[in-house]
Amino acid sequence: MWNVLLSFSGPVALIQLLFLPFFPESPPYLLLQKDDKAGCLKAMKQLWGEGNYHTEFDDLMKEKAITKGTKIMNVLEVLRERSVHPQLCAMLLLLLSLQLCGLKIFETANLQESIIPYVSLGVSISELISVIFCSSIIDRFGRRVLLCGGYLLMALVLVLLETSLLLSDQFLWLRYCSVILIFLFIIAYGLGP
C-alpha cells in the first residue's frame, strides 16, 4: 500500500492551494518587488498581529536601498545569461544523474521487490533529514564549505557504491551496504549541492 502513502501529498497540496488566496503576500516581496509600502505594513500586521513593526520595515528599506541597482531576472533571462551556464549545466547534470542512478542501483543490487518500496521511502526520509539538518547548519559553516564538503562526500560515497556493486555477487551483504550508501549519497547531496 505504498502507493496510497505516496498519494497523501496530493490532498495536502490541494488544501494549500485552496487556502493560499486567503494569506497575504510576503512583506519583503510587497516592498522589494512591488514597491508597496502600505501593503507591506498591512501584511506585517496580518501575519504578526497588531504591533509596531518599524524596525522590521526599516530593515527592509535598507535592504531595498542596497539592492536598488540589482536587476531581478526571470527564468528565461537566467537561461540566456552566459555567466551562469556552467552552474546551470552542473546542476542539470547532477539532477539528471540523481534521477537515473537510483533505479539502476536497485536493479544492480538485486534487491527483493518487496523491499524496494521501503528503500524508496528511506531515500525520501534521508533527503528530508538532510535538508532539515542543512538548514540548521548553513549559517554556521557557510555555503562554500557545505558545497565543497558535499561534493567530496558524494564522490567518496560513489566510489564506495561502485565497489560494493561490483562485489555484490561475491558477498551478498554488500547489496544492503549499497542501499545504505545510497542513503548517504542523498544525505551528502542534501547537505551540500
Side-chain angles (χ1 to χ4, degrees):
M1 300 218 8
W2 64 271
N3 52 349
V4 174
L5 180 66
L6 190 62
S7 69
F8 277 126
S9 60
V12 172
L14 184 62
I15 290 170
Q16 290 175 349
L17 186 63
L18 291 174
F19 284 104
L20 189 62
F22 300 106
F23 289 99
E25 290 283 355
S26 164
Y29 171 77
L30 288 171
L31 185 64
L32 301 174
Q33 305 292 324
K34 297 285 189 174
D35 200 25
D36 184 5
K37 294 177 184 178
C40 175
L41 288 170
K42 182 181 175 187
M44 286 180 174
K45 288 180 183 176
Q46 226 177 334
L47 289 169
W48 302 326
E50 291 297 323
N52 187 359
Y53 302 111
H54 291 294
T55 306
E56 291 85 0
F57 187 77
D58 290 341
D59 289 342
L60 287 175
M61 289 300 289
K62 289 176 188 173
E63 184 178 341
K64 182 178 179 178
I66 291 171
T67 61
K68 187 175 185 178
T70 307
K71 182 183 181 251
I72 296 172
M73 298 169 32
N74 62 28
V75 175
L76 290 176
E77 291 171 336
V78 170
L79 291 174
R80 288 186 201 130
E81 181 65 38
R82 291 196 178 275
S83 64
V84 297
H85 282 181
Q87 294 92 334
L88 287 174
C89 289
M91 289 304 298
L92 184 63
L93 183 65
L94 186 63
L95 289 172
L96 288 175
S97 66
L98 275 177
Q99 295 299 318
L100 297 174
C101 72
L103 296 174
K104 183 66 178 164
I105 290 170
F106 293 153
E107 289 174 7
T108 307
N110 292 326
L111 294 176
Q112 298 171 350
E113 277 195 41
S114 61
I115 295 176
I116 290 179
Y118 299 109
V119 173
S120 298
L121 182 63
V123 167
S124 300
I125 291 170
S126 298
E127 191 171 351
L128 178 67
I129 289 170
S130 66
V131 167
I132 291 170
F133 185 66
C134 179
S135 63
S136 65
I137 65 169
I138 194 166
D139 290 334
R140 182 177 302 167
F141 296 106
R143 291 175 192 242
R144 183 176 302 238
V145 171
L146 290 179
L147 278 172
C148 291
Y151 279 127
L152 288 173
L153 191 59
M154 286 168 58
L156 175 67
V157 168
L158 285 176
V159 168
L160 293 173
L161 183 60
E162 184 64 27
T163 305
S164 71
L165 289 174
L166 288 173
L167 299 174
S168 65
D169 290 335
Q170 296 170 350
F171 305 101
L172 294 179
W173 58 272
L174 279 177
R175 294 178 182 175
Y176 298 102
C177 188
S178 299
V179 172
I180 292 170
L181 288 169
I182 292 170
F183 291 163
L184 289 176
F185 182 82
I186 298 295
I187 290 170
Y189 174 75
L191 288 177

